[in-house]
Amino acid sequence: METNHPTVMGSVADTQRTLYPYVTGSSVVAIKYKDGILMAADMGGSYGSTLRYKGIERLKPVGKHSLLGASGEISDFQEILRYLDELILYDNMWDDGNSLGPKEVHNYLTRVMYNRRNKFNPLWNSLVLGGVKNGQKYLGMVNMIGINFEDNHIATGLGNHLARPILRDEWHENMTFEEGVKLLEKCMRVLLYRDRSAVNKIQIAKITEEGAKLFSPFSLKTFWGFSAFQNPTVGAEGSW
């Protein structure tokens, strides 16, 4: 006998989830410095292993006091920005003289990411949220399953393995803006050498008590004449 009620298999088939990220961005590196927060990311968007897009901005101001950077799926990042636009608009509608600080925005993002993870429909991003409010600097991150923490310096993606050792050795609390930019450039150069998804088009942003500022993209000076680059298999037995 025919029935109009959906079968169990049919109901499962009708449910769609992001099973794998399509267009992705690579590492974001962020540090605290003397006056606020500095953040850096390249502008590449990889379609699988193909570096398809080379002009994607992954650093965005949020409200008056926060700056957001994202690794991972670009369309999910755009969805997160839509959530944040609604959050800031709702906050502004109160018109009570107060505004959401970076800690509040970060807490909101941790709840969003963990909630989507619990629905088995995660947003495939690692997010870095930094900001300054009332003289207090804040820097935190949250990944696609809701794991989150605060630190003095943060790197996502492959940068968590290659940039964090550099930051642990060279970062200090009273870094000037120039010293902070130089440190971020060093980290991004290492990632450019070692990460196949990285592109030599870097954007740096800062946020202080005066607000956020995104600087124009630029290219790093590189040197590819290292012997390990020219003959990477020397000394490796059984290699081609």
Side-chain angles (χ1 to χ4, degrees):
M1 183 175 68
E2 294 184 2
T3 177
N4 292 327
H5 297 294
T7 64
V8 174
M9 291 300 292
S11 64
V12 171
D14 291 340
T15 302
Q16 296 184 358
R17 295 287 185 267
T18 301
L19 301 179
Y20 193 80
Y22 281 85
V23 179
T24 58
S26 58
S27 304
V28 176
V29 184
I31 61 172
K32 291 180 181 179
Y33 77 106
K34 185 173 64 174
D35 298 323
I37 305 295
L38 278 170
M39 204 174 290
D42 67 28
M43 302 186 73
S46 297
Y47 180 74
S49 59
T50 302
L51 194 56
R52 175 65 179 82
Y53 304 101
K54 298 180 181 178
I56 298 177
E57 290 189 0
R58 296 187 288 121
L59 306 178
K60 297 288 185 179
V62 179
K64 298 179 181 178
H65 307 288
S66 303
L67 180 68
L68 178 68
S71 298
E73 171 61 45
I74 300 301
S75 63
D76 283 349
F77 178 45
Q78 293 169 339
E79 179 75 355
I80 290 167
L81 291 177
R82 187 178 69 82
Y83 291 164
L84 291 172
D85 284 343
E86 292 180 0
L87 178 73
I88 298 301
L89 177 61
Y90 182 75
D91 181 53
N92 289 339
M93 286 170 61
W94 285 97
D95 195 23
D96 58 358
N98 191 23
S99 56
L100 292 174
K103 186 174 180 64
E104 290 80 28
V105 176
H106 183 232
N107 287 340
Y108 171 80
L109 290 172
T110 64
R111 297 305 89 207
V112 168
M113 302 300 275
Y114 187 64
N115 176 262
R116 289 290 294 261
R117 175 260 189 191
N118 286 342
K119 292 181 177 179
F120 292 90
N121 187 20
L123 295 162
W124 290 66
N125 297 102
S126 290
L127 305 174
V128 180
L129 195 288
V132 184
K133 185 179 180 183
N134 298 328
Q136 298 296 314
K137 293 174 283 189
Y138 185 90
L139 182 60
M141 72 85 62
V142 57
N143 69 5
M144 64 179 286
I145 61 174
I147 295 173
N148 60 91
F149 60 88
E150 304 170 37
D151 208 339
N152 293 319
H153 46 74
I154 287 174
T156 64
L158 199 60
N160 196 35
H161 305 281
L162 298 181
R164 286 302 289 274
I166 299 172
L167 296 173
R168 291 189 188 105
D169 286 342
E170 300 188 19
W171 178 87
H172 60 86
E173 190 172 359
N174 295 315
M175 297 192 84
T176 64
F177 173 77
E178 291 76 16
E179 290 172 336
V181 168
K182 186 176 180 181
L183 179 57
L184 289 180
E185 288 181 353
K186 182 175 182 178
C187 293
M188 299 305 293
R189 186 175 290 107
V190 170
L191 290 170
L192 179 62
Y193 285 147
R194 293 298 181 183
D195 186 354
R196 71 172 186 178
S197 299
V199 61
N200 195 6
K201 188 177 182 183
I202 310 299
Q203 188 170 36
I204 288 179
K206 72 171 183 178
I207 184 162
T208 63
E209 284 280 12
E210 285 72 38
K213 181 177 180 180
L214 275 66
F215 297 94
S216 299
F218 64 95
S219 297
L220 296 168
K221 292 182 179 179
T222 58
F223 175 73
W224 297 93
F226 297 110
S227 58
F229 289 165
Q230 295 176 342
N231 191 4
T233 61
V234 64
E237 294 186 16
S239 68
W240 290 95

